[in-house]
Amino acid sequence: MTKSVHRRLCAILIVISLSLLLGCSSDEKSGPSGPPSSELMFVEYRNPVEIEVDPELQLALLLHDRSSPSGPALQVIDIQNHEVLQTLILDYYDVYDVEFINSTTACFAGRPQGNIGYAVEFFTIPSLTNMTRVLTGDTSGTHGYLDVNDAGTVVYYSHAGGGVKDAVYAISVANKRLIDADYDGVAPFGFDNDLVEGLLSTPSRIFFDAGTDDIVVANLTGDYITLIDAGIWGLNSRDALLIFPIAGTAHIETGPNPIPDIRADAVAKGENMYAFAGTSGETPYLSRFGTSSQGVDFVESFNDRQWVYRNRDIRIHPRQDIFSVFVLQEDTVGVGIGQFRLNNLGEVASSPYRTRHIPDSTIAAVGIDTANDRLLVADRESESLEFIQIIP
């Protein structure tokens, strides 16, 4: 018997035992009994740091960082048939974010072995083949995150390089090369604080907004969201010593507010709408803004819980009958997934959603299937992926 088969059999026995235990002793579990519908599948590796779902393809990408028992790894999951299609151990020191590009291609951001800096790696799905690496930021600072323009032609990567090396990079999907942010055609290639002083402050989650053609960047050490018009990419001179603001750039101020030090720690994108979560002192808050806003539209604080999201990631379901942001949280009952309406940031009656099969204290990551109104929840301690039905 191979190790892989043995591992699968062990996982099946563990989850069957857990399901029987839950069925026999449900009244011993503290808190609510859970959502009206919940399913479980086996995923071979445990403790992913990111779950990215393509609702149209009905595929999920599970990204495992160096804290996982597998080390850096990728998995492709068929979430309709509850099947692991492919797994791959990655030759990376660590990995941070993963994105679908189109029906056959995706990419992840990471730090390769060899102390050579940071990179974005492209690969074919679902086979996890044809790997092509593009080096972006050097060894300075720390990692950033990914997004893709709606045409699927450009991947954007934020890099918290520090000072002048805080940057956003653009990569052509067609030729897998960096697109220079100024017009000299030589390195450095990033749209950074060396090109426009004062533009970024520890850039983090990044999004492409198709409605405005803006690159939207959260900052972890500045009270603002950075906007860069994708149309000015490659039009400015680094030798001009530009200082923010310049044409095609803007900041959405996140303060002043009743809560001090509002920062977009974790961000999600909806239809012309963004939501972010953070904590000021001991106070968790949610905020909402649009790219046409001068500042945040709403800020709501919560004193009876704490956010416990990993990887600066929260989720939005944009459909009008749900129109909510979902945040992993801990309250007096335990860990659950809070649901908050985007129109007023009020918590809905069905919130928070509680896992039935995965112990709430071992939740690793949360994804969302907007086509079938499901939350996908992964476990730190077992090779399990739980599907929880969202109540409209």
Side-chain angles (χ1 to χ4, degrees), residues 15-219:
V15 177
I16 290 173
S17 299
L18 179 60
S19 299
L20 290 172
L21 179 62
L22 289 170
C24 295
S25 57
S26 59
D27 42 343
E28 292 182 9
K29 184 176 181 180
S30 62
S33 61
S37 178
S38 179
E39 299 177 312
L40 192 70
M41 71 167 288
F42 308 106
V43 290
E44 296 184 4
Y45 294 163
R46 64 181 186 267
N47 193 30
V49 71
E50 182 87 358
I51 302 172
E52 193 66 24
V53 178
D54 188 309
E56 294 182 1
L57 297 177
Q58 283 294 282
L59 295 178
L61 296 171
L62 273 59
L63 184 71
H64 301 258
D65 69 5
R66 64 192 296 260
S67 70
S68 299
S70 63
L74 266 173
Q75 294 183 277
V76 184
I77 310 295
D78 179 338
I79 60 174
Q80 183 174 13
N81 297 310
H82 290 189
E83 180 183 0
V84 178
L85 299 179
Q86 196 61 259
T87 62
L88 181 66
I89 298 293
L90 301 172
D91 183 24
Y92 270 69
Y93 171 74
D94 211 351
V95 290
Y96 313 107
D97 194 18
V98 64
E99 290 288 335
F100 288 93
I101 298 174
N102 53 45
S103 62
T104 60
T105 309
C107 63
F108 67 86
R111 186 165 184 171
Q113 300 282 358
N115 200 33
I116 58 175
Y118 293 82
V120 174
E121 185 121 3
F122 295 81
F123 56 93
T124 302
I125 51 173
S127 61
L128 299 184
T129 56
N130 300 325
M131 313 291 281
T132 303
R133 180 179 300 174
V134 180
L135 290 175
T136 52
D138 60 22
T139 57
S140 64
T142 186
H143 68 90
Y145 297 91
L146 297 165
D147 201 29
V148 183
N149 70 351
D150 281 35
T153 57
V154 180
V155 170
Y156 294 101
Y157 167 68
S158 64
H159 183 68
V164 296
K165 292 186 176 182
D166 279 352
V168 174
Y169 291 90
I171 306 168
S172 167
V173 174
N175 60 25
K176 311 298 188 296
R177 293 180 181 175
L178 288 168
I179 305 169
D180 197 1
D182 60 27
Y183 56 60
D184 63 8
V186 298
F189 296 112
F191 209 118
D192 53 27
N193 284 340
D194 180 58
L195 178 58
V196 181
E197 181 182 344
L199 180 70
L200 301 160
S201 183
T202 316
S204 180
R205 282 286 171 185
I206 183 170
F207 302 92
F208 180 81
D209 192 288
T212 61
D213 207 33
D214 282 335
I215 305 157
V216 181
V217 190
N219 294 282

Side-chain angles (χ1 to χ4, degrees), residues 267-346:
V267 191
K269 175 187 174 185
E271 295 290 335
N272 302 313
M273 181 72 61
Y274 298 81
F276 67 85
T279 303
S280 178
E282 297 296 322
T283 303
Y285 57 79
L286 286 174
S287 295
R288 191 197 81 172
F289 70 94
T291 50
S292 60
S293 305
Q294 297 299 310
V296 297
D297 301 320
F298 292 103
V299 179
E300 187 68 40
S301 61
F302 303 87
N303 296 315
D304 56 351
R305 71 204 70 197
Q306 292 293 325
W307 309 139
V308 291
Y309 51 71
R310 295 177 74 198
N311 208 25
R312 307 195 181 279
D313 201 19
I314 59 178
R315 300 294 179 185
I316 280 180
H317 195 314
R319 202 177 66 229
Q320 288 303 306
D321 61 329
I322 296 179
F323 197 55
S324 299
V325 58
F326 295 83
V327 189
L328 191 62
Q329 64 179 45
E330 183 172 13
D331 54 27
T332 56
V333 175
V335 178
I337 303 157
Q339 178 183 354
F340 305 86
R341 297 291 188 206
L342 283 168
N343 61 345
N344 61 3
L345 299 181

